[in-house]
Amino acid sequence: MQVTIDGPAGVGKTSVGRKVARRFSLLFIQSGQLYRALAYGRINDLDLESLSLRSRGKTEPELSIGGEKVREELTTEVIGEKASKLAKEEGIRNLVNEIIVDFAGDRDVLVEGRDIGTEVLTEAEVKIYLTASAEERARRRKKQMKTDRTLEEIEAGIKKRDNRDQTRKLAPLEPAEDAIIIDTTSLSEREVVERVSGIITDHEIREK
Ligand code: DC
């Protein structure tokens, strides 16, 4: 089974996606991490074509670039900004999409990102689009990160990134026509996990 979760920065795609993936034994892939790894590669002058996603059996696949495994180094705001800028380039998008499509193959996966349901896994059985107000997303980010930045500063950064992701010409952030949209502004993480899980279970029952 293939499940996609798309939505803007800070909406909870990763925390929700990881929990749902575990519950349904799906391999969890964060497509944003591939853009982030390419941003890291560009900054460190690595060969971008060396980006690879390798299976580690039942756990999350491993990402590497230039022969280096990358993970923690990708979580900074600087890398996030750079990734959002790089994501406007066609060659970059094609590279990421190809890696994800190849990896997904006939595996059971849950892939989260911005355009997975609209452009990458267009035949996915379940497509979810999460949204929340920018203010609420800033609040969640502030809680998540150890940062001196004020809530207002974080919200401004989120709005800037939303605007870039939504207005770019290639694969702008938007829900797929067949996506189920969940506004999570007033929902807890657990409630969102339950809703998404319910949608997947309903799909499984219908398919039986
Ligand atoms: O989800 P994230 O914050 O790690 O993503 C970083 C950037 O990568 C995001 O601002 C836009 C880009 N991105 C994208 O264009 N398409 C995706 N499917 C995932 C991320």
Side-chain angles (χ1 to χ4, degrees):
M1 171 157 65
Q2 297 190 338
V3 177
T4 65
I5 301 186
D6 289 302
V11 76
K13 301 182 295 288
T14 302
S15 44
V16 168
R18 185 169 277 135
K19 292 203 166 87
V20 172
R22 202 168 295 151
R23 190 178 291 186
F24 291 90
S25 300
L26 305 169
L27 287 172
F28 180 56
I29 300 168
Q30 292 170 260
S31 61
Q33 289 289 90
L34 278 80
Y35 288 96
R36 285 172 181 265
L38 291 173
Y40 175 85
R42 184 67 61 91
I43 290 168
N44 293 291
D45 218 7
L46 304 172
D47 171 18
L48 301 191
E49 296 283 336
S50 67
L51 180 68
S52 93
L53 196 58
R54 258 215 317 274
S55 165
R56 291 191 304 163
K58 288 196 172 138
T59 47
E60 281 174 37
E62 195 171 82
L63 194 59
S64 71
I65 186 160
E68 254 182 81
K69 282 181 207 155
V70 280
R71 202 181 163 97
E72 281 80 22
E73 47 280 77
L74 306 182
T75 52
T76 67
E77 284 291 297
V78 173
I79 294 279
E81 261 294 292
K82 177 89 181 162
S84 167
K85 286 182 185 155
L86 263 189
K88 290 199 224 168
E89 295 179 24
E90 189 173 12
I92 294 285
R93 302 207 70 83
N94 291 341
L95 181 59
V96 170
N97 294 350
E98 213 170 284
I99 291 175
I100 295 173
V101 170
D102 271 2
F103 186 89
D106 49 15
R107 289 186 166 108
D108 293 319
V109 293
L110 187 158
V111 187
E112 62 96 334
R114 305 287 193 287
D115 65 339
I116 308 302
T118 51
E119 300 280 339
V120 189
L121 300 180
T122 51
E123 303 294 316
E125 284 95 331
V126 177
K127 296 182 184 177
I128 309 285
Y129 187 91
L130 299 182
T131 155
S133 70
E135 192 188 347
E136 174 59 19
R137 286 184 283 134
R139 226 177 280 132
R140 292 178 192 169
R141 271 276 148 102
K142 177 133 177 98
K143 231 179 173 179
Q144 220 174 40
M145 299 185 313
K146 286 188 196 82
T147 174
D148 294 332
R149 293 197 308 151
T150 65
L151 201 59
E152 289 69 28
E153 282 168 337
I154 298 175
E155 187 177 333
I158 279 184
K159 283 184 170 160
K160 196 167 134 206
R161 193 126 78 86
D162 280 357
N163 186 48
R164 192 184 297 124
D165 293 345
Q166 283 163 347
T167 59
R168 69 172 176 236
K169 275 203 214 84
L170 290 170
L173 168 68
E174 61 181 0
E177 266 175 24
D178 49 350
I180 296 174
I181 300 173
I182 305 176
D183 185 343
T184 74
T185 307
S186 56
L187 298 177
S188 68
E189 185 187 295
R190 201 171 52 83
E191 287 170 321
V192 183
V193 169
E194 291 309 320
R195 283 213 193 173
V196 175
S197 300
I199 293 167
I200 297 176
T201 304
D202 284 349
H203 173 83
E204 286 179 330
I205 293 169
R206 258 184 284 124
E207 288 297 294
K208 267 188 192 147

